[in-house]
Amino acid sequence: MAQQLDGEAKEREITRLMGILELDLEEKNLLPPQRNALLAELKTHIRVVENSGPLFTPHGVQTLSRHTFDSNSMITSREAAKCLANVLLLESKTRQMFVDFGYPIKAAQRLKNDNREDELLNSRILFLLTYDTAFDFSQLFEEYQLAESINLNIIRHSKSYSKTGRRDPPTATDTQALSETLKLLFNLSQYYPRQVSTLARSAPSILKILCRTHLATPVLQPPVTYLVNALLNLSVHYDDEPQRDSDPNPYFPKPDQYCNIDRFISILDNAVRTYTEEQLETLVTPLVTLLRKVFEFAPPHVRPHMQTALLPSNAERSQPLGQSNTLASRLLRLSNSPVAPSLRESVSSLLFELSDKDASSFVRNVGYGFASGFLMTHDLPVPASATEGWSTEQSGEDVGEKLTSVEGKEINPVTGQVREMEPEAPEEDMTEEEKEREAEKLFVLFERLKATGVVSVKNPVEQAVQEGRFEELD
């Protein structure tokens, strides 16, 4: 194993090794084992940016690119590609140098090889070119079948995932290659939307892998995270038309139309029980977004299955919604998370869409306490079933006393709890001074509610004065 160097010693050693490799390109004075050993030694020095200057020059990039793509030995090519990929990762300016030398075409051609190491290295190189370069991938799509190569590689991976488990499990290299391909697919589908229809042919294989891969603990790690992300930009429906029941759709396969949905929900359930809210903000938001897309185009008989799995059940209404340990309750709590704004918005949107985008159904399903913030920020009208509970104009009812009904049982529209299961408020003896302070707080609260204009509120103190129920004190 090569000695680990730093400082000027490291830079001198890199300069020495690159000089030998550059001369070898012209004179072919190294035997293959010698050349491979030099590249392997060089790779040990390409782990941090410091004192790696000779690698980040046009000369350095060209030398490594020529050994990668012009060598007659695939062993040499792969050793050089590992060095090149590390250089492109560590120093972004080298990516445009690589583009200017015309090597992206050769990387795309290498993706056609039925070899997982070639797939890993060249997918990583092309993925890095999607950042900080002016390279246009259109030529690779049109002339070098880049999308088809990606699809074929993912199909090859899917064959390693069987229901019976009789096949050899994927190796570490297989999993790394799949991850790099999925990352490349996601970026290309993001930046080249016209290619999505072709890349979407990978969806059946991606779904197959996601359903059959072993779920580690914690669950949101490669390749699961990359499988979910890759699906985000791929069409849930085909030909830009809503899915018809008679059309084949990989998201809702005929043998078991719930299998993919159940897998998504299982991963979500596992994740929200494992990670902190701060971690979920970045890790689980893509999965929630995917569930929203799938629900939008799910067949009519599939939608209720998702609603049952993700919305609070009536059995949870024995207490205020959001207080149990179910997935639905955890989602409700995330919809109010102060530390995960993107996830909060995404989960609230999911729950609203599961309620058929109807504000009244939304309040009935999750309670006005959880629904109010989303309705207000999206300028959606507050349903009467919720606002009437705040009005005292007609009968002087207390806040929240007006109830809605679920399956014949009255529920509190604010908390979602069945009315008959609510604990009785304890009667407390209060001094006159305490009563005055509480009255002042109530007065201020009603004045603030009225000022928002969101709900119809009449201050009970004001109403009492108008009705002559107050007497002036001497």
Side-chain angles (χ1 to χ4, degrees):
M1 184 175 180
Q3 181 183 359
Q4 292 297 309
L5 302 173
D6 54 23
E8 293 182 0
K10 172 187 170 183
E11 189 162 353
R12 286 196 299 271
E13 182 63 10
I14 290 175
T15 301
R16 183 185 74 83
L17 294 172
M18 290 297 289
I20 297 172
L21 290 168
E22 182 182 349
L23 182 64
D24 179 59
L25 288 170
E26 307 303 325
E27 299 183 0
K28 304 294 183 186
N29 55 359
L30 295 175
L31 296 174
Q34 294 174 312
R35 188 179 299 117
N36 299 340
L38 283 171
L39 288 166
E41 182 179 352
L42 178 65
K43 184 179 64 176
T44 65
H45 301 302
I46 317 177
R47 293 175 178 171
V48 293
V49 172
E50 288 75 19
N51 303 110
S52 302
L55 296 166
F56 304 145
T57 64
H59 218 59
V61 172
Q62 186 177 39
T63 297
L64 292 177
S65 298
R66 289 180 64 186
H67 276 291
T68 299
F69 297 107
D70 298 340
S71 173
N72 293 325
S73 166
M74 291 307 299
I75 297 175
T76 298
S77 172
R78 290 165 188 151
E79 286 294 336
K82 294 172 186 176
C83 297
L84 178 62
N86 285 352
V87 167
L88 299 177
L89 173 65
L90 291 176
E91 180 52 76
S92 60
K93 70 180 183 181
T94 60
R95 300 167 198 170
Q96 188 61 48
M97 299 176 192
F98 180 81
V99 169
D100 293 340
F101 287 125
Y103 282 105
I105 290 174
K106 294 193 174 185
Q109 290 174 317
R110 282 285 174 88
L111 273 188
K112 297 181 180 182
N113 292 354
D114 185 5
N115 180 278
R116 303 290 70 80
E117 195 167 5
D118 287 340
E119 177 192 356
L120 187 165
L121 294 167
N122 290 283
S123 290
R124 179 176 295 175
I125 288 170
L126 291 172
F127 169 76
L128 292 170
L129 299 187
T130 63
Y131 299 103
D132 302 312
T133 74
F135 182 64
D136 186 350
F137 280 75
S138 298
Q139 183 184 13
L140 302 188
F141 285 118
E142 295 165 5
E143 299 180 24
Y144 297 94
Q145 300 77 47
L146 177 59
E148 289 78 1
S149 296
I150 291 172
N151 291 341
L152 183 56
N153 280 330
I154 293 176
I155 289 172
R156 288 167 176 154
H157 283 289
S158 71
K159 294 178 180 178
S160 298
Y161 295 82
S162 66
K163 284 185 177 180
T164 61
R166 293 176 182 172
R167 296 176 181 171
D168 292 335
T171 65
T173 298
D174 292 338
T175 301
Q176 291 172 1
L178 173 62
S179 294
E180 295 299 330
T181 297
L182 292 169
K183 287 161 55 180
L184 175 62
L185 183 151
F186 174 79
N187 274 18
L188 294 178
S189 64
Q190 185 81 5
Y191 301 139
Y192 297 88
R194 294 180 61 182
Q195 299 298 327
V196 167
S197 59
T198 303
L199 291 169
R201 294 170 189 165
S202 288
S205 298
I206 294 173
L207 290 164
K208 175 183 175 183
I209 296 170
L210 186 57
C211 281
R212 297 182 182 180
T213 191
H214 170 71
L215 296 182
T217 301
V219 66
L220 291 177
Q221 56 181 294
V224 172
T225 47
Y226 297 132
L227 290 163
V228 170
N229 289 347
L231 291 170
L232 284 176
N233 295 328
L234 304 186
S235 300
V236 177
H237 61 98
Y238 294 165
D239 301 323
D240 296 325
E241 295 180 359
Q243 184 66 33
R244 297 185 298 272
D245 283 347
S246 59
D247 293 339
N249 188 312
Y251 288 85
F252 317 105
K254 289 296 183 183
D256 181 359
Q257 295 198 316
Y258 304 139
C259 63
N260 292 316
I261 293 169
D262 288 343
R263 188 62 157 179
F264 299 157
I265 293 173
S266 174
I267 294 170
L268 177 63
D269 189 29
N270 186 306
V272 299
R273 294 173 186 276
T274 305
Y275 297 96
T276 65
E277 291 186 10
E278 292 87 348
Q279 292 171 320
L280 290 171
E281 168 77 351
T282 54
L283 289 172
V284 88
T285 300
L287 178 56
V288 176
T289 301
L290 179 60
L291 282 166
R292 292 175 59 196
K293 291 184 63 174
V294 170
F295 182 76
E296 181 180 2
F297 295 103
H301 62 281
V302 174
R303 292 165 70 92
H305 182 79
M306 296 184 67
Q307 291 167 325
T308 299
L310 296 168
L311 290 172
S313 67
N314 290 335
E316 296 182 57
R317 296 184 182 274
S318 61
Q319 58 185 328
L321 294 179
Q323 293 190 5
S324 71
N325 200 35
T326 65
L327 172 59
S329 284
R330 291 175 181 273
L331 291 177
L332 286 179
R333 294 196 289 272
L334 288 172
S335 74
N336 275 351
S337 172
V339 297
S342 296
L343 180 60
R344 180 179 66 227
E345 172 66 19
S346 192
V347 169
S348 295
S349 297
L350 172 64
L351 297 173
F352 181 67
E353 289 155 14
L354 289 167
S355 302
D356 299 319
K357 298 182 180 179
D358 177 76
S360 294
S361 297
F362 186 40
V363 169
R364 187 184 308 114
N365 286 335
V366 306
Y368 185 66
F370 286 107
S372 57
F374 181 84
L375 295 176
M376 291 179 187
T377 56
H378 290 266
D379 294 324
L380 295 169
V382 179
S385 60
T387 59
E388 285 174 1
W390 296 83
S391 175
T392 60
E393 292 183 359
Q394 301 300 323
S395 61
E397 293 174 318
D398 290 334
V399 172
E401 186 176 357
K402 183 80 173 182
L403 301 175
T404 56
S405 175
V406 169
E407 292 187 350
K409 294 184 178 180
E410 291 181 323
I411 62 168
N412 185 322
V414 176
T415 67
Q417 185 176 15
V418 173
R419 180 70 176 92
E420 62 186 31
M421 302 296 291
E422 291 183 319
E424 294 185 5
E427 295 184 5
E428 297 181 4
D429 293 332
M430 299 176 66
T431 66
E432 289 299 320
E433 185 179 351
E434 289 173 334
K435 291 178 181 178
E436 288 178 9
R437 284 200 300 266
E438 291 302 315
E440 288 175 2
K441 292 179 183 178
L442 187 62
F443 181 87
V444 173
L445 172 62
F446 272 86
E447 287 301 304
R448 288 178 178 174
L449 283 171
K450 186 167 66 173
T452 66
V454 175
V455 294
S456 175
V457 176
K458 192 163 188 179
N459 196 315
V461 179
E462 179 186 355
Q463 184 175 358
V465 171
Q466 292 174 353
E467 294 175 355
R469 290 188 282 125
F470 265 109
E471 296 180 1
E472 292 188 12
L473 298 175
D474 294 333

